[in-house]
Amino acid sequence: MITISEDKQANLPQDPSIKRERSNRLLRIGTIRTRILITFVLLVVIAAVAISMVTVVLGTRDARNRVVDQLESVATLKQSEIQTWVDGLQINLDIVLSGQQVFDQINTLNEEPAGSDAFRDAHDALQTHFNWTAEQMGLFEELFLMDTEGRVILSTRAGQEGEKHNIYDYYKEGLKGHYIQQPSHSLSSGGMIVVVSQPVGDDETLGVLAGRASLESLNEIMIERTGLGDTGETYLVGSNYRLLTKSRFEEYLVPETYVRSDGTDATVENHENGSGRYTSYSGASVFGVYHWLPELQVALIAEQEESEALHATYMALIVIVCVALVAVVIAALASVFLTRSIAAPLADLADTATAIAAGDLERIAKVERRDEVGTVAQAFNTMTHQLRGSVKSLEQRTEQLRTINEVGRSISSILNLDELLPFVANSLRETFKYHNVGIILIDQDSSALVLKASAGTYEGGPDIGTAALESEGIASMVAQQGESLLINDILGDPIYCCIEGLGDTRSELAVPIQIGDRMLGVLDIESDRINAFDELDLFTTQTLADQLAIAIENARLYEHAQELATVEERQRLARDLHDAVTQTLFSASLIAEVLPRLWEKNPEEGKKRLEELRRSTRGALAEMRMLLLELRPAALTEANLSELLKQMTDAAIGKLGIPFNLSVEGQGTLPTDVQITFYRVAQEALNNIQKHASANEVEITLRYQPESVTLIISDNGIGFDPNSVSAEHLGLSIMCERAEAIGTECKVESEIGQGTRITVMWQVLV
Amino acid sequence: MSGRFSMISILVLAIMSMSLLVNCSSSDEEPDEVTLQINWVHEAEFVGYYVADAKGFYDDENINITIAEGGPGIQARLYMLDGSADFAIAAVSEHRDLVAAGEPAVAVMTAFQIPPLVMFSLTDSGIREPKDMVGKRVGIKNNYWRDVAHEMLTNAGIDPSEIVEVEVEVGAQELLYSREVDVWMGFATSEPIEAQVQGYEVTNIYAADYGVGGYEGLLLVNQATIDQNPDMIGRFVRACQKGWQYAVEHSDEAAEILALWQPDKSVEFQQLAVRAAIPLVDTPQALIGWIDADRWKQLMGDAYSESMPGYTMEYMESVE
């Protein structure tokens, strides 16, 4: 059995939602516990249902057969009793006619005229005989004798003699032999009766003897209990579907009740015997057996309600269902017990795996069983242990890479070696907790190894020393060979050269700082522990050394570039001063020199030269301002564009002496990049005018509009053919590229002899 | 492909047209307007016809029936003979006279297998059979009932002169309750029920038990109608027989239907009336409405002739 160890369990979250989640998981379909539970329960349920169904089907069939057999027996018994009763009626008629004397008297009645003494004597004697016999038998309500014409010549019931019954079947059939008429309703008694008849006489027919018998006896036969339960009954139905004997229900009366059912349809309609399950006249579902009694022309029905007939089966079914339910419960409990012993360890193992997957690598599973599950848990713990190691190593590597990246990024941003090298030394020591870090570079002039920066116990220690590249020691060896050197126990290494103040150093790692084949120096790491460095440290240090090499090279290149830029700027200023201001001032000085003498000779010409002197000095002043602007580019964005253009035109006027008409329409400010672009375009255009245009008038228009700002510079100079003159020659290409780069439109229009017009327009962004 | 489609379309159209024609021919045929003239006021002895109407059996046979009420002095059979009615209800004795007179009246079915004619008394009077009537006062409504009474008494061996005949009005049954008369006469489906509903226990003495009467409630039709529209007669008889069959098998429902025709009587009255009619209408020996040839000859007596028997079972034979 596997369980989480107690110390780990103490760390388990006790959040109720987690418990709930766990319990929910246990009930999920996909869990082993649930599947085992479902399988067990299903097996039992299927078995229980199958057994129940088979039992029900077989039980129902057996019960039905049993009920039908029982009903059949009852029906047969009743039929037999009815037959006995019918036979009794006919036997009793025979008894009435027994004895020669009776025949003689009947013969007398036939032969002697009515009213004669002989007739009267015979009639009285027979009347007495009939009355006595009927009374003794107790079967007949009336015995009556008909002559050969069907006329009643004697009856036990008063008022019947003289009636002609020759149309009735009991007379017509009675002439032929024993006959029983189907039951009919008796008006006089209100009940149901049958009439039996038979011929009188052996060789010669003297008449027909008939007897009316109540069906009360059949009623008793029918309602006699026969073990058909509370709902069982037997009854007779006539050929017109009318109920002939009493129903067990009071509301169904004889003779007004008609019985229409599958049973009566089969018997009355088709004169068939049979059985079946159908709806009886009371509306209940019954099992019924039906017999057709041809002699009486009636149907004998024996029925029992299905609910009672199948009661035992239903009870058995209930018992089976209960047993099945108990079995299902037992199966569920057994499966719960079984799944607990199997699935619970797996569930705990799954919990542990889930926790580990969530990042808790310290979780372990407790092994308490020696079975397959225990083996799995053990293997799981082993795997977890290995995973922990891997993850830890990976994390360290990741952290180092991150640190290398950070340090490298910082290194690349420092272009001053005096800042760079101490920063790298300190960063390495602080970040990787190294004991000592030293950066030793090869001096470019002396080729000696110079300790340029250090961190750790180097600080406050002896001065950073210098050593010849060929001297002994780890740094020299690395610098010469260009390969890293890792010594995890320097005391035991002969090449180690103890430096004073580093007596506690036990391990050392030195990697070359080089670009390609060019050696720049050595990055040296020391530790006060034996075996302090491993391959990861070597990788880290080497990676940083490579980055450091690039940074050192960058810093040196930058330093060199700075020096070159300073020299170039000085040269440009000198050229500008010579080309612009110096020339102007030189001409101004010449004018100033000749002005006194000229003024004396020709004052008008003096005034003219004085004005020229003023224009020159003013232009020089504007040119100086322009140069100052170039020396301090920030001024380009601080001043308004119209002011910049004013200075530019002033300088041009001073230089060329032709009118430069500046017109500013509206006012506003421009984005920095747009303003600089407009300024440079104007500067280039005026340069072109000064050098190539030979113009005598220049128009400069700056127009601020709500949706755009437009600068137009036009001159009336010689112009040029855009198709033959290279735009690049005039600096127009750079001008337009600069304008288009910030999304402005630049258009240069010119024609030979027609001047040039340059338009720059910037659409205000909404 | 299109040819096959067109063939199928034509076939479908043809079938639809034929079915429409068949439907039209069956449903569009005008129903026969049939008048049944009963020979007394609406009451239980005609319940089969009311039920057939209420249950739609006449509609099923495409017959639109009018049941014309009769009453004292109305000779229903004469309406049938003069063409005012298609069918009429008549007593056997009335029909026998018509047959004897050579009238073209033909019975096509009978409502009652056993005549519902009864003499009845209050049970506590002790009069249970004809011989008990000797010296008792018997209410006689008219000659018809006088003949019935005389025949019953004679058959029972009693001289009719031994009873005291009291001339009474139709409906004056109070005389029985007040014991001013001892015996009343009527139909088992009417007068005795009335007494029972009034709370009197009565004893019925059926005429049939003493050989009086045979069938009752004959359904008569004119020979001319038979000649002209035998199909209608067959359908009408079928619907009537069905109505009577339904009435005896569903007595309570029949009583409710009857109450609609005779609203002055309670449903309880009608239930008792219908139940009283059941054993008289439906006997195990014969189909409801059936007329037995031998019995008919006996009933018709001298009036019977083979050439003009006065009845036919041709239409009853078509009843399922």
Side-chain angles (χ1 to χ4, degrees):
Chain A
M1 175 137 185
I2 304 169
T3 56
I4 303 299
S5 57
E6 289 184 5
D7 56 333
K8 299 301 178 188
Q9 280 185 338
N11 296 328
L12 286 176
Q14 298 301 312
D15 187 349
S17 64
I18 293 179
K19 290 181 179 176
R20 190 165 57 247
E21 198 278 332
R22 182 175 174 178
S23 63
N24 288 342
R25 197 188 62 194
L26 292 176
L27 293 174
R28 279 206 302 266
I29 295 295
T31 62
I32 292 176
R33 181 194 296 262
T34 313
R35 278 186 286 182
I36 292 175
L37 184 66
I38 291 172
T39 305
F40 264 73
V41 172
L42 270 182
L43 282 173
V44 175
V45 166
I46 290 169
V49 168
I51 292 170
S52 300
M53 288 180 68
V54 169
T55 306
V56 167
V57 171
L58 294 178
T60 305
R61 194 175 64 186
D62 289 346
R64 178 178 174 158
N65 291 339
R66 185 166 35 78
V67 170
V68 169
D69 289 346
Q70 190 176 3
L71 290 170
E72 186 67 46
S73 300
V74 170
T76 305
L77 176 67
K78 300 286 185 183
Q79 186 177 355
S80 173
E81 290 183 34
I82 291 170
Q83 188 59 50
T84 303
W85 179 75
V86 170
D87 292 344
L89 292 177
Q90 291 173 337
I91 290 169
N92 277 290
L93 275 189
D94 288 336
I95 293 172
V96 171
L97 295 175
S98 61
Q100 186 57 42
Q101 188 179 1
V102 173
F103 283 100
D104 294 341
Q105 290 166 342
I106 292 172
N107 207 19
T108 303
L109 290 181
N110 277 330
E111 292 177 353
E112 295 297 327
S116 64
D117 292 341
F119 182 91
R120 196 163 41 250
D121 292 343
H123 183 275
D124 291 346
L126 277 175
Q127 181 80 56
T128 304
H129 173 63
F130 276 29
N131 287 343
W132 181 85
T133 310
E135 189 179 340
Q136 292 297 313
M137 292 173 180
L139 285 174
F140 296 108
E141 290 183 348
E142 178 188 6
L143 280 173
F144 56 100
L145 180 66
M146 292 164 283
D147 62 17
T148 52
E149 294 178 350
R151 189 181 304 280
V152 177
I153 54 176
L154 194 150
S155 172
T156 56
R157 189 163 161 234
Q160 299 300 309
E161 293 175 10
E163 273 191 64
K164 287 196 73 171
H165 289 191
N166 59 331
I167 60 172
Y168 299 120
D169 289 340
Y170 56 77
Y171 169 73
K172 290 187 278 191
E173 297 298 324
L175 285 171
K176 304 171 188 173
H178 286 288
Y179 173 75
I180 181 164
Q181 193 176 52
Q182 57 182 304
S184 60
H185 182 251
S186 167
L187 297 177
S188 56
S189 67
M192 302 301 294
I193 58 164
V194 292
V195 180
V196 291
S197 61
Q198 66 176 74
V200 179
D202 294 329
D203 302 327
E204 182 187 2
T205 301
L206 302 177
V208 174
L209 176 65
R212 294 179 196 276
S214 167
L215 250 61
E216 192 56 38
S217 299
L218 292 187
N219 252 332
E220 291 173 4
I221 292 172
M222 289 296 113
I223 64 175
E224 187 182 343
R225 306 303 297 173
T226 49
L228 288 179
D230 295 334
T231 62
E233 68 171 332
T234 52
Y235 54 90
L236 297 177
V237 176
S239 59
N240 56 353
Y241 293 93
R242 195 190 292 169
L243 185 65
L244 298 178
T245 55
K246 287 181 181 173
S247 160
R248 67 188 180 94
F249 302 101
E250 290 183 357
E251 62 268 32
Y252 296 104
L253 300 173
V254 178
E256 60 198 49
T257 299
Y258 285 76
V259 180
R260 293 278 189 177
S261 67
D262 290 349
T264 55
D265 285 347
T267 42
V268 175
E269 199 73 31
N270 306 320
H271 296 180
E272 290 175 351
N273 292 351
S275 63
R277 184 170 68 88
Y278 53 81
T279 303
S280 78
Y281 65 95
S282 65
S285 179
V286 297
F287 288 116
V289 167
Y290 36 89
H291 285 186
W292 177 247
L293 309 184
E295 198 170 17
L296 274 176
Q297 294 287 295
V298 297
L300 168 61
I301 311 289
E303 292 173 346
Q304 186 178 21
E305 286 188 10
E306 184 181 10
S307 58
E308 186 182 38
L310 297 181
H311 179 70
T313 305
Y314 291 151
M315 289 303 293
L317 176 62
I318 290 170
V319 171
I320 288 169
V321 169
C322 290
V323 169
L325 286 176
V326 170
V328 169
V329 171
I330 290 172
L333 291 174
S335 64
V336 166
F337 177 76
L338 188 63
T339 52
R340 182 184 290 275
S341 66
I342 294 174
L346 292 177
D348 290 338
L349 198 58
D351 280 343
T352 307
T354 304
I356 289 170
D360 184 8
L361 294 177
E362 300 304 316
R363 288 282 288 272
I364 58 170
K366 195 170 181 180
V367 180
E368 291 187 347
R369 295 166 66 111
R370 293 179 177 276
D371 57 10
E372 292 85 346
V373 179
T375 305
V376 170
Q378 208 161 21
F380 184 80
N381 283 341
T382 304
M383 184 189 71
T384 308
H385 177 73
Q386 291 175 346
L387 187 63
R388 272 200 300 273
S390 299
V391 169
K392 190 174 180 182
S393 170
L394 193 61
E395 284 177 347
Q396 284 179 340
R397 176 66 64 92
T398 305
E399 179 61 23
Q400 280 182 318
L401 286 173
R402 189 186 62 76
T403 308
I404 289 169
N405 184 41
E406 282 184 2
V407 172
R409 201 164 54 233
S410 300
I411 288 172
S412 64
S413 65
I414 300 173
L415 296 173
N416 188 332
L417 274 180
D418 294 335
E419 292 178 26
L420 174 67
L421 299 178
F423 172 77
V424 172
N426 287 321
S427 295
L428 279 173
R429 184 170 184 273
E430 289 171 8
T431 305
F432 298 105
K433 309 299 180 192
Y434 293 143
H435 191 58
N436 290 328
V437 178
I439 300 173
I440 303 156
L441 297 185
I442 298 171
D443 187 77
Q444 290 176 308
D445 297 327
S446 62
S447 298
L449 289 172
V450 180
L451 181 60
K452 287 286 189 180
S454 67
T457 51
Y458 282 121
E459 289 183 355
D463 293 338
I464 298 169
T466 60
L469 185 59
E470 298 78 12
S471 62
E472 293 182 348
I474 292 173
S476 298
M477 192 178 295
V478 170
Q480 288 177 48
Q481 296 178 355
E483 292 180 355
S484 302
L485 189 62
L486 171 59
I487 302 171
N488 267 324
D489 185 6
I490 59 175
L491 296 180
D493 195 294
I495 64 172
Y496 185 77
C497 179
C498 184
I499 299 173
E500 190 182 351
L502 299 178
D504 57 351
T505 300
R506 292 295 177 269
S507 304
E508 184 167 1
L509 171 61
V511 295
I513 304 171
Q514 59 185 357
I515 290 181
D517 296 333
R518 190 153 58 87
M519 182 61 64
L520 300 180
V522 175
L523 177 58
D524 187 42
I525 311 291
E526 296 173 345
S527 174
D528 56 355
R529 291 184 291 110
I530 295 173
N531 295 323
F533 303 114
D534 56 13
E535 289 299 316
L536 187 61
D537 293 300
L538 178 59
F539 167 78
T540 305
T541 310
Q542 185 61 65
T543 305
L544 282 170
D546 292 343
Q547 291 186 347
L548 183 56
I550 295 169
I552 291 169
E553 190 69 6
N554 280 344
R556 284 175 176 173
L557 287 174
Y558 179 73
E559 191 177 348
H560 183 63
Q562 287 284 78
E563 289 171 357
L564 287 176
T566 304
V567 171
E568 192 176 330
E569 183 65 13
R570 281 177 187 155
Q571 289 173 346
R572 191 182 70 82
L573 278 173
R575 190 170 59 248
D576 285 352
L577 284 170
H578 175 265
D579 291 348
V581 181
T582 306
Q583 294 293 327
T584 307
L585 288 176
F586 179 71
S587 66
S589 68
L590 286 177
I591 294 169
E593 196 173 322
V594 299
L595 187 61
R597 291 193 302 272
L598 186 62
W599 193 277
E600 289 175 358
K601 291 180 182 176
N602 190 349
E604 285 299 320
E605 184 66 19
K607 283 182 183 177
K608 191 177 173 184
R609 290 295 179 180
L610 184 62
E611 175 59 26
E612 191 177 343
L613 176 64
R614 189 189 65 79
R615 184 174 49 80
S616 295
T617 52
R618 198 170 164 184
L621 182 61
E623 284 182 350
M624 283 300 291
R625 282 180 180 157
M626 294 297 291
L627 282 172
L628 288 172
L629 276 176
E630 292 295 329
L631 290 173
R632 198 169 67 84
L636 287 178
T637 57
E638 291 169 358
N640 193 287
L641 180 59
S642 58
E643 291 173 7
L644 295 174
L645 291 175
K646 180 74 171 59
Q647 287 184 14
M648 203 181 289
T649 52
D650 284 350
I653 290 169
K655 211 168 187 176
L656 295 182
I658 60 171
F660 279 72
N661 301 319
L662 172 62
S663 147
V664 178
E665 299 173 12
Q667 58 182 9
T669 56
L670 289 169
T672 304
D673 54 344
V674 176
Q675 177 154 321
I676 290 173
T677 300
F678 272 45
Y679 175 80
R680 293 298 179 196
V681 168
Q683 191 178 39
E684 187 63 31
L686 292 186
N687 269 341
N688 285 338
I689 290 169
Q690 289 172 32
K691 290 178 184 174
H692 311 293
S694 301
N696 53 23
E697 191 169 1
V698 178
E699 294 287 339
I700 303 170
T701 306
L702 177 62
R703 187 179 295 142
Y704 289 100
Q705 290 176 302
E707 62 278 357
S708 65
V709 178
T710 308
L711 175 63
I712 303 168
I713 302 166
S714 61
D715 65 71
N716 58 353
I718 59 174
F720 64 93
D721 181 3
N723 297 322
S724 59
V725 177
S726 169
E728 290 175 4
H729 179 70
L730 299 175
L732 292 177
S733 175
I734 297 171
M735 197 189 308
C736 285
E737 283 177 7
R738 183 174 285 169
E740 286 165 359
I742 59 165
T744 62
E745 293 176 16
C746 177
K747 188 163 65 177
V748 179
E749 299 164 286
S750 185
E751 196 176 331
I752 293 174
Q754 297 298 317
T756 303
R757 178 187 173 91
I758 298 169
T759 307
V760 186
M761 188 175 73
W762 174 70
Q763 295 285 350
V764 177
L765 298 174
V766 179
Chain B
M1 189 73 174
S2 62
R4 198 165 72 184
F5 261 125
S6 60
M7 284 295 290
I8 292 171
S9 305
I10 290 168
L11 194 62
V12 169
L13 280 172
I15 292 169
M16 289 174 67
S17 306
M18 285 175 67
S19 62
L20 277 172
L21 281 172
V22 169
N23 288 337
C24 289
S25 64
S26 61
S27 60
D28 290 353
E29 194 173 316
E30 285 295 316
D32 290 302
E33 295 291 338
V34 172
T35 301
L36 169 64
Q37 178 67 56
I38 59 176
N39 60 347
W40 197 241
V41 296
H42 292 305
E43 60 175 17
E45 66 173 297
F46 311 109
V47 68
Y49 306 110
Y50 308 138
V51 169
D53 184 29
K55 301 303 291 183
F57 299 154
Y58 294 121
D59 295 336
D60 295 344
E61 300 290 353
N62 203 28
I63 286 172
N64 194 7
I65 188 174
T66 301
I67 300 176
E69 189 175 21
I74 293 178
Q75 308 291 316
R77 57 195 183 282
L78 301 182
Y79 287 82
M80 178 271 296
L81 288 173
D82 68 12
S84 304
D86 301 290
F87 295 90
I89 306 298
V92 170
S93 59
E94 294 169 341
H95 183 50
R96 186 168 49 217
D97 294 342
L98 293 178
V99 173
E103 294 290 351
V106 180
V108 290
M109 72 173 285
T110 179
F112 290 90
Q113 294 289 328
I114 300 169
L117 311 174
V118 289
M119 300 180 80
F120 66 99
S121 64
L122 298 178
T123 301
D124 59 9
S125 70
I127 302 171
R128 294 188 176 78
E129 51 188 332
K131 68 179 175 61
D132 298 329
M133 296 179 195
V134 174
K136 302 297 184 182
R137 292 158 294 183
V138 177
I140 303 295
K141 288 181 256 188
N142 51 40
N143 287 335
Y144 172 80
W145 289 107
R146 178 176 286 108
D147 292 344
V148 171
H150 285 192
E151 195 174 354
M152 278 180 68
L153 292 167
T154 304
N155 288 349
I158 308 298
D159 184 353
S161 64
E162 291 186 71
I163 64 167
V164 179
E165 293 184 9
V166 180
E167 298 284 343
V168 296
E169 295 292 328
V170 172
Q173 206 164 314
E174 291 292 331
L175 296 173
L176 178 70
Y177 310 147
S178 63
R179 300 179 192 276
E180 292 177 56
V181 294
D182 301 302
V183 177
W184 198 262
M185 299 184 72
F187 271 54
T189 55
S190 180
E191 284 85 348
I193 304 298
E194 182 64 39
Q196 286 180 56
V197 171
Q198 294 284 336
Y200 299 99
E201 189 180 350
V202 298
T203 299
N204 285 335
I205 304 162
Y206 283 86
D209 271 352
Y210 298 92
V212 177
Y215 301 117
E216 198 60 48
L218 297 175
L219 179 64
L220 304 185
V221 65
N222 199 313
Q223 180 62 47
T225 308
I226 292 177
D227 297 337
Q228 292 164 7
N229 200 353
D231 174 65
M232 181 274 287
I233 297 171
R235 287 183 278 119
F236 186 75
V237 169
R238 194 156 56 229
C240 293
Q241 201 278 342
K242 211 169 169 184
W244 277 106
Q245 186 77 47
Y246 192 91
V248 298
E249 292 196 22
H250 306 84
S251 57
D252 287 348
E253 186 181 350
E256 290 174 8
I257 294 169
L258 175 58
L260 300 175
W261 290 83
Q262 195 181 16
D264 57 320
K265 302 293 184 188
S266 66
V267 173
E268 180 197 1
F269 174 94
Q270 304 297 11
Q271 285 173 339
L272 291 171
V274 175
R275 287 174 190 168
I278 291 173
L280 309 175
V281 171
D282 186 19
T283 64
Q285 287 78 23
L287 180 69
I288 289 176
W290 186 261
I291 295 172
D292 178 69
D294 292 339
R295 199 172 170 202
W296 182 257
K297 285 179 192 172
Q298 189 182 57
L299 287 171
M300 289 296 104
D302 297 337
Y304 182 82
S305 69
E306 291 294 337
S307 59
M308 198 171 125
Y311 89 107
T312 176
M313 284 293 97
E314 179 185 348
Y315 306 106
M316 277 296 295
E317 283 168 355
S318 67
V319 173
E320 293 179 359

